[in-house]
Amino acid sequence: MVGSPVVNRLVIIGVGLIGGSLARALKAVGYCGEIVGAGRSPDHLQLAMELGVVDRTETDLGAAVSEADVVVVAVPLGAMRDLFRRLAGVLPESCVLTDAGSAKGCVIEDVRSAFGGIPDRFVPGHPIAGTEKSGVAASFADLFRTRRVILTPLAETDHDARDTVAAMWEATGAEVTEMGVAHHDEVLAATSHLPHLLAFSLVDTLSRMDDRAEIFRFAAGGFRDFTRIASSDPQMWHDICVANRAPLLQALAAFNRDLTDLARAIETADSEEVLRIFRHAKTARDNLYRD
């Protein structure tokens, strides 16, 4: 627990899994004097209140942010441009603005378009955390504990604003690091966006096979583990794939080349090459996760 609140009023626009978990984590340590949940759905916001995730809700964006110290935008990427345009006319000049988007280049361009430039108190961010579930009912306080949060501050970003956002995420138990915008989008395309694309695609392919009922009936634990993320929010991942399409297509092209090589090795019964690929993958995976 912190002593007195560090942030007097935090506004979270989009109280879903990420926004709701952030609110829960900060409430647990007394980090904020007040947490306001903002959005367009009164029913969704009412649920957030009933669950004790936020202290107050607002559907009027201007009223929500009028006296905010920090505003966190946690809506799908496809909704950000319109939201930033609405914020541009009402956001207090002293307020720190940050986001939780999974791709950063598109968010920065949306902010630049909406505000006519980059506000010096805008700090792009991305918590590397989540589950296949969505919505405020799926949120929990420990979602970010020991997970990484990437900040991609720009040349215009005020250092104090950057420190404010970093401290907020650290209060949730997360490890904060910094990365360039383009590098972030390339890394996340390969390690997050591509795996989701593959999981969605595999389940879609199998579901359209003639013997699909039997395929799913006899699916083992490996299939469940690999395809778990195909239960994620389709709209959210649609937005991510479209927004980060250039880096994602590069990662997909590299994967397709290697998959073609593996298929060729299997077709020609090149057992040494198949074994080499599998051994290399196992070693890389074991070195990455030593649990």
Side-chain angles (χ1 to χ4, degrees), residues 48-225:
M49 281 289 294
E50 291 173 358
L51 294 173
V53 175
V54 296
D55 301 309
R56 180 166 62 85
T57 64
E58 286 283 357
T59 55
D60 183 310
L61 193 60
V65 305
S66 64
E67 297 180 11
D69 298 297
V70 178
V71 170
V72 179
V73 175
V75 301
L77 290 176
M80 285 201 179
R81 176 160 294 202
D82 177 65
L83 177 58
F84 286 132
R85 285 174 177 165
R86 293 166 57 214
L87 277 175
V90 297
L91 192 71
E93 186 175 343
S94 61
C95 180
V96 174
L97 175 65
T98 188
D99 76 293
S102 183
K104 303 301 351 141
C106 61
V107 173
I108 290 165
E109 286 309 306
D110 287 348
V111 169
R112 195 186 307 277
S113 173
F115 288 85
I118 299 297
D120 61 3
R121 296 182 73 74
F122 170 56
V123 186
H126 177 205
I128 312 298
T131 72
E132 72 278 14
K133 301 182 184 301
S134 60
V136 67
S139 64
F140 59 101
D142 288 335
L143 178 62
F144 310 109
R145 186 166 301 281
T146 73
R147 307 298 291 273
R148 288 189 174 88
V149 173
I150 300 175
L151 303 184
T152 60
L154 306 168
E156 299 93 335
T157 303
D158 177 81
H159 290 295
D160 288 341
R162 183 266 172 210
D163 290 347
T164 295
V165 174
M168 177 190 72
W169 284 113
E170 287 168 350
T172 71
E175 175 189 337
V176 176
T177 188
E178 292 188 15
M179 192 178 287
V181 174
H183 187 49
H184 168 278
D185 287 356
E186 291 169 357
V187 169
L188 270 296
T191 59
S192 177
H193 307 166
L194 178 60
H196 279 80
L197 183 152
L198 297 178
F200 279 120
S201 180
L202 175 62
V203 175
D204 180 61
T205 297
L206 296 182
S207 69
R208 289 182 287 107
M209 289 184 173
D210 290 340
D211 53 352
R212 58 187 178 277
E214 190 168 59
I215 287 173
F216 291 127
R217 179 184 175 192
F218 291 104
F223 179 82
R224 176 185 289 270
D225 293 343

